[in-house]
């Protein structure tokens, strides 16, 4: 199945559904998500060591993941 890439802000989101991309584009066009700007949700941050990243990579390869991504 071909995937569709949709760029939203600085993050690249890869989807396999054209409907999802269309819905996101429409929501952005009508400024649907602007109402959530005032929503303040405390997010935790996690710092991974190089060993943690290597363990995750090896585990994902072992499990058969076809895609791996790491955002810094």
């Amino acid at each position: 199945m071909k995937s569709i890439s949709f760029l939203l802000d600085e993050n690249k989101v890869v989807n396999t559904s054209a409907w999802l991309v269309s819905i996101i584009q429409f929501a952005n066009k009508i400024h649907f998500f602007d109402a959530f700007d005032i929503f303040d949700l405390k997010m935790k941050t996690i710092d991974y060591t190089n060993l943690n990243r290597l363990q995750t990579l090896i585990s994902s390869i072992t499990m058969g993941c076809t895609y791996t991504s790491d955002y810094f």
Side-chain angles (χ1 to χ4, degrees), residues 5-45:
S5 296
F6 180 72
L7 188 62
L8 182 61
D9 296 331
E10 291 99 31
N11 300 320
K12 182 179 179 186
V13 179
V14 179
N15 301 297
T16 56
S17 171
W19 290 109
L20 181 58
V21 172
S22 299
I23 290 170
I24 291 172
Q25 286 179 329
F26 178 73
N28 284 333
K29 185 177 181 179
I30 64 170
H31 304 284
F32 174 78
F33 296 109
D34 290 352
F36 297 101
D37 283 341
I38 60 170
F39 184 71
D40 186 28
L41 179 64
K42 302 281 186 207
M43 300 292 289
K44 66 179 180 178
T45 57

Side-chain angles (χ1 to χ4, degrees), residues 53-67:
R53 287 189 178 98
L54 182 60
Q55 290 169 331
T56 303
L57 177 62
I58 291 172
S59 299
S60 66
I61 291 170
T62 303
M63 294 298 295
C65 294
T66 58
Y67 177 79

